[in-house]
């Protein structure tokens, strides 16, 4: 299947990319192309110009700055998944990324592309919210930061304006214990539901919990009822079962052709249970 006709531009700098995006309301940034190109092939997107940001130096690099892991938006998902720096400072990212599609997809797909695409079942979006990350974006009026918790506003829609480029992700490095699990029909498919969990545990008790569900609504979403069950309690099997049940009970997934709400709720309960078991075994 072929995409509709489009123009192609490869700017050499971020400023030039922003200018090109601002000049045409139907222009779109092209990063790894793993979501945008299939959407064009299926005629779900018809950009007039593809502004290729895949090689911009401003979007590259993985580094730790004090207590923040800074990941350039153009870093490939597979690079982040396998980087020792990520494993050591924010292991939840690696745990989540290994569930994204297949190896080949992750070798092309970028960190920024996944966040900007804002699929409600995207593993990285859930992990970013669980880790309290923020993204830095650059547009014609300069740079600004957006907390990941405010980034996803609707299915495939973010708080970025059309001419803004997501340039980096900033993830606080914390000693949180983490887990990630998802339930799907086949490995590599988008999950029916999944959970990213980051918990602070002191003296065997949970002092803070951030649980984020994916695949259960229009955006990835915190699971506050399950978090409340966990806070202040010892993380044992009974508590894990109660929290997983609370997550499922409080969720109202949509009825869509892939799965009815009952199935997705059951998938969420299983995913929450597995993610929390990982945390307790960590
Ligand atoms: P692109 O496809 O190039 O762009 C996607 C969108 O984001 C476009 O609208 C583009 O304009 C915008 N964009 C990209 N980068 C930026 C930026 N820096 N600033 C502003 N806007 C930007 N994803 C999952 O999360 N989980 C899965 O299980 C999964 N399975 C997949 C299976 C298959 C078979 C395929 C083809 C894809 C799958 N994906 C999955 C999608 C994959 O993760 C994509 O890599 C990702 O969603 C988009 O990243 P990209 O770099 O390819 O972005």
């Amino acid at each position: 299947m072929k995409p509709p006709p489009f123009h192609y531009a490869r700017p050499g700098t971020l400023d030039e990319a922003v200018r090109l995006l601002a000049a045409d309301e139907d222009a779109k940034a092209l990063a790894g192309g793993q979501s945008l190109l299939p959407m064009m092939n299926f005629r779900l997107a018809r950009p007039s110009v593809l502004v290729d940001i895949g090689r911009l130096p401003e979007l590259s690099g993985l580094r730790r700055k004090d207590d923040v892991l800074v990941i350039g938006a153009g870093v490939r998902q597979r690079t982040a998944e396998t980087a020792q720096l990520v494993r050591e400072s924010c292991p939840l990212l690696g745990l989540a990324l290994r569930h994204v599609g297949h190896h080949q997809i992750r070798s092309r797909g970028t960190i920024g592309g996944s966040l900007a695409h804002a699929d409600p079942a995207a593993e990285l979006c859930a992990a970013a919210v669980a880790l309290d990350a923020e993204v830095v974006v650059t547009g014609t009026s300069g740079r600004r930061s957006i907390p990941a918790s405010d980034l996803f506003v609707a299915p495939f829609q973010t708080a970025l304006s059309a001419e803004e480029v997501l340039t980096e992700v900033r993830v606080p490095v914390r000693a949180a214990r983490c887990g990630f699990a998802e339930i799907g029909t086949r490995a590599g498919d988008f999950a029916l539901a999944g959970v990213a969990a980051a918990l602070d545990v002191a003296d065997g008790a949970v002092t803070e919990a951030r649980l984020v569900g994916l695949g259960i609504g229009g955006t990835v979403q915190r699971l506050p009822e399950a978090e409340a069950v966990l806070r202040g309690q010892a993380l044992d099997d009974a508590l894990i079962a109660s929290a997983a049940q609370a997550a499922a009970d409080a969720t109202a997934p949509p009825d869509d052709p892939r799965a009815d709400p009952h199935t997705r709720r059951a998938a969420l309960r299983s995913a929450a249970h597995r993610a929390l078991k990982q945390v307790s075994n960590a």
Side-chain angles (χ1 to χ4, degrees):
M1 206 178 277
K2 288 182 181 165
F6 58 90
H7 295 283
Y8 174 84
R10 191 198 289 166
T13 65
L14 177 59
D15 280 353
E16 202 188 331
V18 168
R19 270 202 306 279
L20 285 165
L21 288 168
D24 182 340
E25 62 177 353
D26 293 326
K28 274 231 165 262
L30 172 69
Q34 297 303 297
S35 294
L36 183 52
L37 295 183
M39 288 180 73
M40 290 170 66
N41 289 344
F42 284 113
R43 304 298 195 266
L44 296 170
R46 292 171 176 269
S48 51
V49 191
L50 288 185
V51 178
D52 189 343
I53 57 171
R55 298 181 201 188
L56 291 180
E58 295 93 333
L59 271 56
S60 68
L62 248 172
R63 64 190 184 283
R64 181 165 170 177
K65 198 168 172 245
D66 302 324
D67 284 338
V68 179
L69 176 68
V70 183
I71 309 177
V75 169
R76 307 286 166 183
Q77 294 156 11
R78 178 77 181 151
T79 304
E81 177 194 345
T82 54
Q84 192 170 351
L85 179 62
V86 174
R87 236 192 331 268
E88 285 168 2
S89 44
C90 296
L92 180 57
L93 289 178
L95 292 179
L97 281 167
R98 73 172 65 138
H99 292 274
V100 175
H102 305 275
H103 187 288
Q104 292 85 344
I105 309 287
R106 305 198 292 276
S107 297
R108 293 291 310 157
T110 63
I111 293 294
S114 180
L115 295 170
H117 188 56
D119 193 305
E123 293 82 359
L124 185 62
C125 299
V129 175
L131 290 168
D132 209 13
E134 60 177 28
V135 299
V136 178
V137 305
T138 302
T140 43
S141 39
R143 268 162 72 99
R144 66 184 177 119
S145 296
I146 308 171
S149 49
D150 295 341
L151 182 63
F152 311 110
V153 296
F156 308 103
Q157 206 182 315
T158 66
L160 267 72
S161 63
E163 105 287 355
E164 281 179 319
V165 175
L166 198 160
T167 51
E168 68 187 29
V169 189
R170 303 171 64 85
V171 191
V173 176
R174 293 168 52 226
R177 284 158 63 168
C178 51
F180 185 95
E182 65 178 38
I183 308 293
T185 41
R186 287 183 312 184
D189 281 1
F190 279 98
L192 292 177
V195 170
L199 269 63
D200 294 332
V201 180
D203 300 326
V206 178
T207 53
E208 182 51 22
R210 292 177 69 89
L211 257 61
V212 181
L214 60 90
I216 50 169
T219 62
V220 296
Q221 51 196 261
R222 292 275 294 266
L223 302 168
E225 291 79 4
E227 294 172 353
V229 167
L230 293 166
R231 268 187 211 108
Q233 304 297 320
L235 190 62
D236 58 19
D237 283 355
L239 186 75
I240 288 174
S242 302
Q245 189 62 50
D249 290 346
T251 304
D255 196 357
D256 66 34
R258 276 192 75 210
D260 60 33
H262 175 76
T263 306
R264 275 193 206 270
R265 245 184 253 114
L268 182 73
R269 186 180 57 239
S270 292
H273 197 277
R274 290 181 196 184
L276 289 169
K277 281 295 276 185
Q278 272 180 37
V279 173
S280 76
N281 293 334

